[in-house]
Amino acid sequence: MATALITGASSGIGMALARVHAEHGGDLVLVARRRERLEALKAELEAAHDVRVWVIVADLAQDGAPRKVYDLVRELGLDVDILINNAGFGLHGLFHTQDPEHLSQMVHVNVLATTMLTRLFVPHLIARGRGHIMNVASVAAFMPGPWQAVYYATKAYVLSFSEALADELRTTGVTVTALCPGATETEFKERARIGRVRGFEMGAMSAREVAEYGYRAMLAGKRVVVPGWRNRLLTFLPRILPRSWTVVMSRIGMEPL
Ligand SMILES: NC(=O)c1ccc[n+]([C@@H]2O[C@H](COP(=O)([O-])OP(=O)(O)OC[C@H]3O[C@@H](n4cnc5c(N)ncnc54)[C@H](OP(=O)(O)O)[C@@H]3O)[C@@H](O)[C@H]2O)c1
């Protein structure tokens, strides 16, 4: 069965994806900073399923971290069949008030780590003529986002990058899926210091629902998937509304109540 490398597997959607993959009988490489969380998940999955799990502790905000993860995977002698770039975080607030270092880390994790891990692993997938890449974007990818300007822009990058790569790889047997969740019950909201905003007050999906939906879509080779009808409506509106209205809609969803 396929081996999947999942970044951000220590909580939320990444942890749920790891459980879904293990239920399918697949081995796993779990990547994040919190070792104890990853070790606990490894113990849980190896006890419950006939799978092997490896833990790699890495801070993907650091320059060179994707290369270190890649080198460790090679040293372990593992072939990664499924690469899931899920690690990411947001930061709520007006751009001119936000901590520059925090913003820089966000771009590193959400954009650079996703890009470089994909660049490092994809030649192996192409050489074998099969495999899947899933990049976790967001409904935020479809619109500019006042109060989370940088976060929304990072997700627009992830979506654009994924769609272009999916096209480049169309004859290789390797598929690329951009999973675009809306509000989801994870540690994301608290870590992004979002507080009370309409975008989350209207209800959130569970990480498990999002993971199952994304995993199925990835295996089916779908390119862009949005879990939940409300999120699909949210990503449809920017296609028909003028861009200036979309920005206002987006602001109404994210400004503090
Ligand atoms: N929840 C939502 O409403 C929502 C909506 C749309 C898209 N998303 C996207 O879904 C993805 C998963 O987020 P989530 O909702 O599951 O949030 P979460 O519960 O906060 O999980 C984020 C994961 O990313 C990892 N991570 C963060 N910074 C990292 C770093 N510097 N190095 C390595 N790993 C790092 C965290 O692990 P450590 O802290 O242990 O390193 C954690 O495992 C993100 O890309 C997020 O943007 C979330």
Side-chain angles (χ1 to χ4, degrees), residues 8-14 31-34 58-61 86-89 109-110 136-139 151 155 181-188 191 200:
S10 62
S11 75
I13 297 167
V31 181
R33 289 167 301 180
R34 288 172 291 179
D59 180 354
L60 295 172
N86 159 79
F89 66 91
V109 177
N110 297 8
V136 180
S138 167
V139 294
Y151 176 71
K155 293 302 180 178
T184 309
E185 289 158 9
T186 67
E187 296 172 16
F188 175 86
R191 291 180 130 193
F200 274 86

PDB file of all heavy atoms in Angstrom, residues 8-14 31-34 58-61 86-89 109-110 136-139 151 155 181-188 191 200, ligand 1:
ATOM      1  N   GLY A   8       2.048  18.833   8.942  1.00  0.00           N
ATOM      2  CA  GLY A   8       1.000  19.344   9.832  1.00  0.00           C
ATOM      3  C   GLY A   8       0.090  18.239  10.320  1.00  0.00           C
ATOM      4  O   GLY A   8      -1.120  18.418  10.441  1.00  0.00           O
ATOM      5  N   ALA A   9       0.710  17.078  10.639  1.00  0.00           N
ATOM      6  CA  ALA A   9      -0.095  15.914  11.059  1.00  0.00           C
ATOM      7  C   ALA A   9      -0.326  15.898  12.568  1.00  0.00           C
ATOM      8  O   ALA A   9      -0.933  14.968  13.091  1.00  0.00           O
ATOM      9  CB  ALA A   9       0.587  14.622  10.621  1.00  0.00           C
ATOM     10  N   SER A  10       0.128  16.921  13.286  1.00  0.00           N
ATOM     11  CA  SER A  10       0.006  16.906  14.745  1.00  0.00           C
ATOM     12  C   SER A  10      -1.346  17.411  15.234  1.00  0.00           C
ATOM     13  O   SER A  10      -1.616  17.371  16.439  1.00  0.00           O
ATOM     14  CB  SER A  10       1.130  17.738  15.378  1.00  0.00           C
ATOM     15  OG  SER A  10       1.027  19.083  14.949  1.00  0.00           O
ATOM     16  N   SER A  11      -2.186  17.922  14.331  1.00  0.00           N
ATOM     17  CA  SER A  11      -3.535  18.319  14.749  1.00  0.00           C
ATOM     18  C   SER A  11      -4.431  18.513  13.531  1.00  0.00           C
ATOM     19  O   SER A  11      -3.970  18.438  12.383  1.00  0.00           O
ATOM     20  CB  SER A  11      -3.508  19.605  15.599  1.00  0.00           C
ATOM     21  OG  SER A  11      -3.282  20.727  14.791  1.00  0.00           O
ATOM     22  N   GLY A  12      -5.713  18.774  13.806  1.00  0.00           N
ATOM     23  CA  GLY A  12      -6.657  19.217  12.792  1.00  0.00           C
ATOM     24  C   GLY A  12      -6.789  18.327  11.561  1.00  0.00           C
ATOM     25  O   GLY A  12      -6.868  17.096  11.646  1.00  0.00           O
ATOM     26  N   ILE A  13      -6.810  18.977  10.405  1.00  0.00           N
ATOM     27  CA  ILE A  13      -7.064  18.280   9.137  1.00  0.00           C
ATOM     28  C   ILE A  13      -5.946  17.272   8.826  1.00  0.00           C
ATOM     29  O   ILE A  13      -6.203  16.171   8.343  1.00  0.00           O
ATOM     30  CB  ILE A  13      -7.230  19.310   7.991  1.00  0.00           C
ATOM     31  CG1 ILE A  13      -8.451  20.209   8.252  1.00  0.00           C
ATOM     32  CG2 ILE A  13      -7.368  18.618   6.637  1.00  0.00           C
ATOM     33  CD1 ILE A  13      -8.539  21.448   7.353  1.00  0.00           C
ATOM     34  N   GLY A  14      -4.702  17.645   9.118  1.00  0.00           N
ATOM     35  CA  GLY A  14      -3.567  16.757   8.844  1.00  0.00           C
ATOM     36  C   GLY A  14      -3.659  15.473   9.658  1.00  0.00           C
ATOM     37  O   GLY A  14      -3.417  14.366   9.142  1.00  0.00           O
ATOM     38  N   VAL A  31       4.878  14.743   9.687  1.00  0.00           N
ATOM     39  CA  VAL A  31       5.797  15.885   9.852  1.00  0.00           C
ATOM     40  C   VAL A  31       5.077  17.019  10.579  1.00  0.00           C
ATOM     41  O   VAL A  31       3.948  17.368  10.229  1.00  0.00           O
ATOM     42  CB  VAL A  31       6.290  16.393   8.475  1.00  0.00           C
ATOM     43  CG1 VAL A  31       7.258  17.568   8.655  1.00  0.00           C
ATOM     44  CG2 VAL A  31       6.938  15.276   7.673  1.00  0.00           C
ATOM     45  N   ALA A  32       5.738  17.587  11.581  1.00  0.00           N
ATOM     46  CA  ALA A  32       5.260  18.796  12.279  1.00  0.00           C
ATOM     47  C   ALA A  32       6.322  19.140  13.319  1.00  0.00           C
ATOM     48  O   ALA A  32       7.377  18.494  13.373  1.00  0.00           O
ATOM     49  CB  ALA A  32       3.902  18.570  12.935  1.00  0.00           C
ATOM     50  N   ARG A  33       6.034  20.174  14.158  1.00  0.00           N
ATOM     51  CA  ARG A  33       7.015  20.539  15.191  1.00  0.00           C
ATOM     52  C   ARG A  33       6.786  19.794  16.500  1.00  0.00           C
ATOM     53  O   ARG A  33       7.729  19.505  17.220  1.00  0.00           O
ATOM     54  CB  ARG A  33       6.944  22.051  15.472  1.00  0.00           C
ATOM     55  CG  ARG A  33       7.479  22.907  14.353  1.00  0.00           C
ATOM     56  CD  ARG A  33       7.101  24.349  14.553  1.00  0.00           C
ATOM     57  NE  ARG A  33       5.645  24.475  14.615  1.00  0.00           N
ATOM     58  CZ  ARG A  33       5.002  25.623  14.786  1.00  0.00           C
ATOM     59  NH1 ARG A  33       5.671  26.740  14.940  1.00  0.00           N
ATOM     60  NH2 ARG A  33       3.689  25.653  14.813  1.00  0.00           N
ATOM     61  N   ARG A  34       5.523  19.477  16.849  1.00  0.00           N
ATOM     62  CA  ARG A  34       5.256  18.910  18.180  1.00  0.00           C
ATOM     63  C   ARG A  34       5.441  17.392  18.188  1.00  0.00           C
ATOM     64  O   ARG A  34       4.526  16.640  17.833  1.00  0.00           O
ATOM     65  CB  ARG A  34       3.833  19.297  18.627  1.00  0.00           C
ATOM     66  CG  ARG A  34       3.733  20.775  18.985  1.00  0.00           C
ATOM     67  CD  ARG A  34       2.303  21.197  19.226  1.00  0.00           C
ATOM     68  NE  ARG A  34       1.515  21.177  18.007  1.00  0.00           N
ATOM     69  CZ  ARG A  34       0.212  21.488  17.940  1.00  0.00           C
ATOM     70  NH1 ARG A  34      -0.430  21.837  19.033  1.00  0.00           N
ATOM     71  NH2 ARG A  34      -0.425  21.446  16.787  1.00  0.00           N
ATOM     72  N   ALA A  58      10.017  18.775  12.302  1.00  0.00           N
ATOM     73  CA  ALA A  58      10.622  19.838  11.488  1.00  0.00           C
ATOM     74  C   ALA A  58       9.806  21.109  11.615  1.00  0.00           C
ATOM     75  O   ALA A  58       8.576  21.068  11.698  1.00  0.00           O
ATOM     76  CB  ALA A  58      10.655  19.403  10.014  1.00  0.00           C
ATOM     77  N   ASP A  59      10.520  22.231  11.661  1.00  0.00           N
ATOM     78  CA  ASP A  59       9.860  23.542  11.631  1.00  0.00           C
ATOM     79  C   ASP A  59       9.930  24.050  10.201  1.00  0.00           C
ATOM     80  O   ASP A  59      10.986  24.502   9.734  1.00  0.00           O
ATOM     81  CB  ASP A  59      10.568  24.503  12.591  1.00  0.00           C
ATOM     82  CG  ASP A  59       9.919  25.880  12.585  1.00  0.00           C
ATOM     83  OD1 ASP A  59       8.997  26.118  11.767  1.00  0.00           O
ATOM     84  OD2 ASP A  59      10.337  26.721  13.395  1.00  0.00           O
ATOM     85  N   LEU A  60       8.807  23.968   9.510  1.00  0.00           N
ATOM     86  CA  LEU A  60       8.787  24.303   8.074  1.00  0.00           C
ATOM     87  C   LEU A  60       8.892  25.806   7.813  1.00  0.00           C
ATOM     88  O   LEU A  60       8.932  26.222   6.652  1.00  0.00           O
ATOM     89  CB  LEU A  60       7.541  23.712   7.410  1.00  0.00           C
ATOM     90  CG  LEU A  60       7.490  22.176   7.401  1.00  0.00           C
ATOM     91  CD1 LEU A  60       6.132  21.675   6.907  1.00  0.00           C
ATOM     92  CD2 LEU A  60       8.614  21.592   6.521  1.00  0.00           C
ATOM     93  N   ALA A  61       8.956  26.597   8.871  1.00  0.00           N
ATOM     94  CA  ALA A  61       9.193  28.037   8.680  1.00  0.00           C
ATOM     95  C   ALA A  61      10.684  28.315   8.488  1.00  0.00           C
ATOM     96  O   ALA A  61      11.065  29.431   8.117  1.00  0.00           O
ATOM     97  CB  ALA A  61       8.663  28.830   9.868  1.00  0.00           C
ATOM     98  N   ASN A  86      -0.065  19.978   3.964  1.00  0.00           N
ATOM     99  CA  ASN A  86      -1.225  20.455   4.739  1.00  0.00           C
ATOM    100  C   ASN A  86      -0.828  21.508   5.772  1.00  0.00           C
ATOM    101  O   ASN A  86      -1.639  22.361   6.125  1.00  0.00           O
ATOM    102  CB  ASN A  86      -1.885  19.241   5.417  1.00  0.00           C
ATOM    103  CG  ASN A  86      -2.741  19.647   6.596  1.00  0.00           C
ATOM    104  OD1 ASN A  86      -3.869  20.106   6.439  1.00  0.00           O
ATOM    105  ND2 ASN A  86      -2.198  19.527   7.808  1.00  0.00           N
ATOM    106  N   ALA A  87       0.411  21.486   6.259  1.00  0.00           N
ATOM    107  CA  ALA A  87       0.827  22.423   7.324  1.00  0.00           C
ATOM    108  C   ALA A  87       0.562  23.855   6.870  1.00  0.00           C
ATOM    109  O   ALA A  87       0.834  24.215   5.722  1.00  0.00           O
ATOM    110  CB  ALA A  87       2.305  22.241   7.641  1.00  0.00           C
ATOM    111  N   GLY A  88       0.025  24.640   7.787  1.00  0.00           N
ATOM    112  CA  GLY A  88      -0.236  26.032   7.443  1.00  0.00           C
ATOM    113  C   GLY A  88      -0.899  26.729   8.601  1.00  0.00           C
ATOM    114  O   GLY A  88      -1.419  26.078   9.515  1.00  0.00           O
ATOM    115  N   PHE A  89      -0.864  28.044   8.579  1.00  0.00           N
ATOM    116  CA  PHE A  89      -1.558  28.796   9.624  1.00  0.00           C
ATOM    117  C   PHE A  89      -1.914  30.180   9.114  1.00  0.00           C
ATOM    118  O   PHE A  89      -1.386  30.646   8.094  1.00  0.00           O
ATOM    119  CB  PHE A  89      -0.718  28.866  10.910  1.00  0.00           C
ATOM    120  CG  PHE A  89       0.562  29.651  10.799  1.00  0.00           C
ATOM    121  CD1 PHE A  89       0.599  31.010  11.091  1.00  0.00           C
ATOM    122  CD2 PHE A  89       1.742  29.024  10.415  1.00  0.00           C
ATOM    123  CE1 PHE A  89       1.779  31.729  10.997  1.00  0.00           C
ATOM    124  CE2 PHE A  89       2.928  29.730  10.310  1.00  0.00           C
ATOM    125  CZ  PHE A  89       2.949  31.090  10.603  1.00  0.00           C
ATOM    126  N   VAL A 109       5.859  28.777   5.620  1.00  0.00           N
ATOM    127  CA  VAL A 109       5.172  27.491   5.804  1.00  0.00           C
ATOM    128  C   VAL A 109       4.151  27.264   4.688  1.00  0.00           C
ATOM    129  O   VAL A 109       4.149  26.221   4.023  1.00  0.00           O
ATOM    130  CB  VAL A 109       4.468  27.428   7.186  1.00  0.00           C
ATOM    131  CG1 VAL A 109       3.697  26.119   7.335  1.00  0.00           C
ATOM    132  CG2 VAL A 109       5.491  27.565   8.309  1.00  0.00           C
ATOM    133  N   ASN A 110       3.271  28.265   4.473  1.00  0.00           N
ATOM    134  CA  ASN A 110       2.148  28.057   3.551  1.00  0.00           C
ATOM    135  C   ASN A 110       2.610  27.992   2.093  1.00  0.00           C
ATOM    136  O   ASN A 110       2.051  27.227   1.305  1.00  0.00           O
ATOM    137  CB  ASN A 110       1.122  29.194   3.681  1.00  0.00           C
ATOM    138  CG  ASN A 110       0.482  29.261   5.060  1.00  0.00           C
ATOM    139  OD1 ASN A 110       0.888  28.569   5.972  1.00  0.00           O
ATOM    140  ND2 ASN A 110      -0.510  30.124   5.222  1.00  0.00           N
ATOM    141  N   VAL A 136      -3.206  21.583   0.634  1.00  0.00           N
ATOM    142  CA  VAL A 136      -4.378  22.124   1.325  1.00  0.00           C
ATOM    143  C   VAL A 136      -4.371  23.640   1.157  1.00  0.00           C
ATOM    144  O   VAL A 136      -3.519  24.337   1.715  1.00  0.00           O
ATOM    145  CB  VAL A 136      -4.420  21.695   2.800  1.00  0.00           C
ATOM    146  CG1 VAL A 136      -5.658  22.284   3.473  1.00  0.00           C
ATOM    147  CG2 VAL A 136      -4.440  20.167   2.906  1.00  0.00           C
ATOM    148  N   ALA A 137      -5.301  24.108   0.342  1.00  0.00           N
ATOM    149  CA  ALA A 137      -5.475  25.557   0.138  1.00  0.00           C
ATOM    150  C   ALA A 137      -6.602  25.991   1.072  1.00  0.00           C
ATOM    151  O   ALA A 137      -6.556  25.708   2.273  1.00  0.00           O
ATOM    152  CB  ALA A 137      -5.784  25.843  -1.329  1.00  0.00           C
ATOM    153  N   SER A 138      -7.634  26.626   0.531  1.00  0.00           N
ATOM    154  CA  SER A 138      -8.727  27.142   1.372  1.00  0.00           C
ATOM    155  C   SER A 138      -9.741  27.817   0.462  1.00  0.00           C
ATOM    156  O   SER A 138      -9.408  28.190  -0.677  1.00  0.00           O
ATOM    157  CB  SER A 138      -8.154  28.178   2.346  1.00  0.00           C
ATOM    158  OG  SER A 138      -9.186  28.910   2.969  1.00  0.00           O
ATOM    159  N   VAL A 139     -10.954  28.041   0.972  1.00  0.00           N
ATOM    160  CA  VAL A 139     -11.872  28.904   0.217  1.00  0.00           C
ATOM    161  C   VAL A 139     -11.265  30.297   0.078  1.00  0.00           C
ATOM    162  O   VAL A 139     -11.605  31.047  -0.832  1.00  0.00           O
ATOM    163  CB  VAL A 139     -13.277  29.000   0.873  1.00  0.00           C
ATOM    164  CG1 VAL A 139     -14.007  27.672   0.833  1.00  0.00           C
ATOM    165  CG2 VAL A 139     -13.191  29.515   2.303  1.00  0.00           C
ATOM    166  N   TYR A 151      -2.629  35.789   4.604  1.00  0.00           N
ATOM    167  CA  TYR A 151      -3.092  34.392   4.600  1.00  0.00           C
ATOM    168  C   TYR A 151      -3.861  34.084   3.318  1.00  0.00           C
ATOM    169  O   TYR A 151      -3.601  33.078   2.651  1.00  0.00           O
ATOM    170  CB  TYR A 151      -3.964  34.117   5.829  1.00  0.00           C
ATOM    171  CG  TYR A 151      -4.537  32.721   5.824  1.00  0.00           C
ATOM    172  CD1 TYR A 151      -3.711  31.615   6.042  1.00  0.00           C
ATOM    173  CD2 TYR A 151      -5.890  32.493   5.544  1.00  0.00           C
ATOM    174  CE1 TYR A 151      -4.231  30.324   6.005  1.00  0.00           C
ATOM    175  CE2 TYR A 151      -6.407  31.214   5.511  1.00  0.00           C
ATOM    176  CZ  TYR A 151      -5.577  30.128   5.737  1.00  0.00           C
ATOM    177  OH  TYR A 151      -6.077  28.846   5.687  1.00  0.00           O
ATOM    178  N   LYS A 155      -2.904  31.375   0.158  1.00  0.00           N
ATOM    179  CA  LYS A 155      -3.753  30.287  -0.315  1.00  0.00           C
ATOM    180  C   LYS A 155      -4.079  30.442  -1.807  1.00  0.00           C
ATOM    181  O   LYS A 155      -4.269  29.452  -2.515  1.00  0.00           O
ATOM    182  CB  LYS A 155      -5.014  30.197   0.541  1.00  0.00           C
ATOM    183  CG  LYS A 155      -4.720  29.772   1.982  1.00  0.00           C
ATOM    184  CD  LYS A 155      -4.005  28.420   2.036  1.00  0.00           C
ATOM    185  CE  LYS A 155      -3.685  27.955   3.435  1.00  0.00           C
ATOM    186  NZ  LYS A 155      -3.036  26.635   3.486  1.00  0.00           N
ATOM    187  N   PRO A 181     -10.839  23.825   1.960  1.00  0.00           N
ATOM    188  CA  PRO A 181     -11.874  23.827   2.997  1.00  0.00           C
ATOM    189  C   PRO A 181     -12.302  25.245   3.340  1.00  0.00           C
ATOM    190  O   PRO A 181     -11.561  26.206   3.110  1.00  0.00           O
ATOM    191  CB  PRO A 181     -11.166  23.204   4.211  1.00  0.00           C
ATOM    192  CG  PRO A 181      -9.793  22.813   3.760  1.00  0.00           C
ATOM    193  CD  PRO A 181      -9.514  23.561   2.504  1.00  0.00           C
ATOM    194  N   GLY A 182     -13.520  25.342   3.921  1.00  0.00           N
ATOM    195  CA  GLY A 182     -13.933  26.574   4.593  1.00  0.00           C
ATOM    196  C   GLY A 182     -13.692  26.379   6.079  1.00  0.00           C
ATOM    197  O   GLY A 182     -12.874  25.531   6.473  1.00  0.00           O
ATOM    198  N   ALA A 183     -14.424  27.136   6.894  1.00  0.00           N
ATOM    199  CA  ALA A 183     -14.240  27.050   8.350  1.00  0.00           C
ATOM    200  C   ALA A 183     -14.312  25.595   8.813  1.00  0.00           C
ATOM    201  O   ALA A 183     -15.260  24.880   8.490  1.00  0.00           O
ATOM    202  CB  ALA A 183     -15.312  27.879   9.041  1.00  0.00           C
ATOM    203  N   THR A 184     -13.296  25.174   9.527  1.00  0.00           N
ATOM    204  CA  THR A 184     -13.187  23.784   9.980  1.00  0.00           C
ATOM    205  C   THR A 184     -12.778  23.791  11.453  1.00  0.00           C
ATOM    206  O   THR A 184     -11.953  24.613  11.864  1.00  0.00           O
ATOM    207  CB  THR A 184     -12.122  23.034   9.145  1.00  0.00           C
ATOM    208  OG1 THR A 184     -12.397  23.237   7.749  1.00  0.00           O
ATOM    209  CG2 THR A 184     -12.134  21.545   9.426  1.00  0.00           C
ATOM    210  N   GLU A 185     -13.364  22.858  12.231  1.00  0.00           N
ATOM    211  CA  GLU A 185     -13.072  22.807  13.676  1.00  0.00           C
ATOM    212  C   GLU A 185     -11.708  22.183  13.911  1.00  0.00           C
ATOM    213  O   GLU A 185     -11.562  20.960  13.900  1.00  0.00           O
ATOM    214  CB  GLU A 185     -14.138  21.966  14.391  1.00  0.00           C
ATOM    215  CG  GLU A 185     -15.486  22.614  14.485  1.00  0.00           C
ATOM    216  CD  GLU A 185     -16.588  21.595  14.702  1.00  0.00           C
ATOM    217  OE1 GLU A 185     -16.288  20.415  14.941  1.00  0.00           O
ATOM    218  OE2 GLU A 185     -17.751  21.992  14.589  1.00  0.00           O
ATOM    219  N   THR A 186     -10.700  23.035  14.093  1.00  0.00           N
ATOM    220  CA  THR A 186      -9.328  22.597  14.371  1.00  0.00           C
ATOM    221  C   THR A 186      -8.714  23.643  15.301  1.00  0.00           C
ATOM    222  O   THR A 186      -9.420  24.515  15.810  1.00  0.00           O
ATOM    223  CB  THR A 186      -8.490  22.536  13.072  1.00  0.00           C
ATOM    224  OG1 THR A 186      -8.334  23.879  12.592  1.00  0.00           O
ATOM    225  CG2 THR A 186      -9.148  21.702  11.987  1.00  0.00           C
ATOM    226  N   GLU A 187      -7.398  23.601  15.456  1.00  0.00           N
ATOM    227  CA  GLU A 187      -6.735  24.625  16.269  1.00  0.00           C
ATOM    228  C   GLU A 187      -6.483  25.914  15.474  1.00  0.00           C
ATOM    229  O   GLU A 187      -5.952  26.891  15.995  1.00  0.00           O
ATOM    230  CB  GLU A 187      -5.402  24.063  16.785  1.00  0.00           C
ATOM    231  CG  GLU A 187      -5.600  22.891  17.724  1.00  0.00           C
ATOM    232  CD  GLU A 187      -4.293  22.200  18.100  1.00  0.00           C
ATOM    233  OE1 GLU A 187      -3.215  22.779  17.897  1.00  0.00           O
ATOM    234  OE2 GLU A 187      -4.376  21.069  18.603  1.00  0.00           O
ATOM    235  N   PHE A 188      -6.845  25.888  14.194  1.00  0.00           N
ATOM    236  CA  PHE A 188      -6.529  27.000  13.289  1.00  0.00           C
ATOM    237  C   PHE A 188      -7.032  28.355  13.793  1.00  0.00           C
ATOM    238  O   PHE A 188      -6.295  29.337  13.859  1.00  0.00           O
ATOM    239  CB  PHE A 188      -7.129  26.700  11.906  1.00  0.00           C
ATOM    240  CG  PHE A 188      -6.975  27.813  10.909  1.00  0.00           C
ATOM    241  CD1 PHE A 188      -5.824  27.924  10.143  1.00  0.00           C
ATOM    242  CD2 PHE A 188      -7.982  28.754  10.737  1.00  0.00           C
ATOM    243  CE1 PHE A 188      -5.684  28.959   9.224  1.00  0.00           C
ATOM    244  CE2 PHE A 188      -7.843  29.790   9.823  1.00  0.00           C
ATOM    245  CZ  PHE A 188      -6.690  29.892   9.066  1.00  0.00           C
ATOM    246  N   ARG A 191      -5.222  29.669  16.872  1.00  0.00           N
ATOM    247  CA  ARG A 191      -3.827  30.011  16.581  1.00  0.00           C
ATOM    248  C   ARG A 191      -3.734  31.265  15.721  1.00  0.00           C
ATOM    249  O   ARG A 191      -2.777  32.023  15.810  1.00  0.00           O
ATOM    250  CB  ARG A 191      -3.150  28.842  15.867  1.00  0.00           C
ATOM    251  CG  ARG A 191      -2.970  27.660  16.770  1.00  0.00           C
ATOM    252  CD  ARG A 191      -2.300  26.548  16.022  1.00  0.00           C
ATOM    253  NE  ARG A 191      -1.182  26.052  16.784  1.00  0.00           N
ATOM    254  CZ  ARG A 191      -0.250  25.243  16.301  1.00  0.00           C
ATOM    255  NH1 ARG A 191      -0.277  24.858  15.055  1.00  0.00           N
ATOM    256  NH2 ARG A 191       0.734  24.825  17.064  1.00  0.00           N
ATOM    257  N   PHE A 200     -16.800  32.282  10.818  1.00  0.00           N
ATOM    258  CA  PHE A 200     -16.779  31.091  11.661  1.00  0.00           C
ATOM    259  C   PHE A 200     -18.074  30.928  12.445  1.00  0.00           C
ATOM    260  O   PHE A 200     -18.417  29.819  12.832  1.00  0.00           O
ATOM    261  CB  PHE A 200     -15.578  31.134  12.613  1.00  0.00           C
ATOM    262  CG  PHE A 200     -14.317  30.575  12.005  1.00  0.00           C
ATOM    263  CD1 PHE A 200     -13.482  31.377  11.251  1.00  0.00           C
ATOM    264  CD2 PHE A 200     -13.975  29.240  12.172  1.00  0.00           C
ATOM    265  CE1 PHE A 200     -12.323  30.867  10.670  1.00  0.00           C
ATOM    266  CE2 PHE A 200     -12.823  28.723  11.594  1.00  0.00           C
ATOM    267  CZ  PHE A 200     -12.002  29.531  10.843  1.00  0.00           C
TER     268      PHE A 200
HETATM  269  N1  LIG B   1      -9.390  25.225  10.033  1.00  0.00           N
HETATM  270  C1  LIG B   1      -9.843  25.979   9.072  1.00  0.00           C
HETATM  271  O1  LIG B   1     -10.853  26.683   9.223  1.00  0.00           O
HETATM  272  C2  LIG B   1      -9.145  25.965   7.713  1.00  0.00           C
HETATM  273  C3  LIG B   1      -9.846  26.447   6.608  1.00  0.00           C
HETATM  274  C4  LIG B   1      -9.228  26.419   5.358  1.00  0.00           C
HETATM  275  C5  LIG B   1      -7.947  25.928   5.223  1.00  0.00           C
HETATM  276  N2  LIG B   1      -7.276  25.466   6.328  1.00  0.00           N
HETATM  277  C6  LIG B   1      -5.911  24.982   6.133  1.00  0.00           C
HETATM  278  O2  LIG B   1      -5.838  23.650   6.586  1.00  0.00           O
HETATM  279  C7  LIG B   1      -4.484  23.332   6.907  1.00  0.00           C
HETATM  280  C8  LIG B   1      -4.453  22.601   8.223  1.00  0.00           C
HETATM  281  O3  LIG B   1      -4.852  23.485   9.250  1.00  0.00           O
HETATM  282  P1  LIG B   1      -5.826  23.059  10.444  1.00  0.00           P
HETATM  283  O4  LIG B   1      -7.103  23.745  10.255  1.00  0.00           O
HETATM  284  O5  LIG B   1      -5.805  21.595  10.611  1.00  0.00           O
HETATM  285  O6  LIG B   1      -5.096  23.809  11.652  1.00  0.00           O
HETATM  286  P2  LIG B   1      -4.261  23.277  12.920  1.00  0.00           P
HETATM  287  O7  LIG B   1      -5.106  22.364  13.734  1.00  0.00           O
HETATM  288  O8  LIG B   1      -3.725  24.504  13.571  1.00  0.00           O
HETATM  289  O9  LIG B   1      -3.083  22.437  12.259  1.00  0.00           O
HETATM  290  C9  LIG B   1      -2.013  23.053  11.596  1.00  0.00           C
HETATM  291  C10 LIG B   1      -0.881  22.058  11.434  1.00  0.00           C
HETATM  292  O10 LIG B   1       0.214  22.727  10.769  1.00  0.00           O
HETATM  293  C11 LIG B   1       1.396  22.487  11.500  1.00  0.00           C
HETATM  294  N3  LIG B   1       2.335  23.595  11.414  1.00  0.00           N
HETATM  295  C12 LIG B   1       2.086  24.909  11.653  1.00  0.00           C
HETATM  296  N4  LIG B   1       3.228  25.612  11.579  1.00  0.00           N
HETATM  297  C13 LIG B   1       4.215  24.729  11.292  1.00  0.00           C
HETATM  298  C14 LIG B   1       5.616  24.832  11.107  1.00  0.00           C
HETATM  299  N5  LIG B   1       6.257  26.005  11.260  1.00  0.00           N
HETATM  300  N6  LIG B   1       6.325  23.725  10.827  1.00  0.00           N
HETATM  301  C15 LIG B   1       5.702  22.526  10.712  1.00  0.00           C
HETATM  302  N7  LIG B   1       4.381  22.358  10.885  1.00  0.00           N
HETATM  303  C16 LIG B   1       3.649  23.444  11.173  1.00  0.00           C
HETATM  304  C17 LIG B   1       0.935  22.295  12.954  1.00  0.00           C
HETATM  305  O11 LIG B   1       1.871  21.481  13.659  1.00  0.00           O
HETATM  306  P3  LIG B   1       2.894  21.966  14.823  1.00  0.00           P
HETATM  307  O12 LIG B   1       2.295  23.174  15.493  1.00  0.00           O
HETATM  308  O13 LIG B   1       3.011  20.772  15.707  1.00  0.00           O
HETATM  309  O14 LIG B   1       4.157  22.261  14.098  1.00  0.00           O
HETATM  310  C18 LIG B   1      -0.369  21.544  12.772  1.00  0.00           C
HETATM  311  O15 LIG B   1      -0.133  20.165  12.683  1.00  0.00           O
HETATM  312  C19 LIG B   1      -3.726  24.654   6.885  1.00  0.00           C
HETATM  313  O16 LIG B   1      -2.992  24.765   5.694  1.00  0.00           O
HETATM  314  C20 LIG B   1      -4.833  25.687   6.920  1.00  0.00           C
HETATM  315  O17 LIG B   1      -4.439  26.899   6.319  1.00  0.00           O
HETATM  316  C21 LIG B   1      -7.856  25.466   7.561  1.00  0.00           C
END
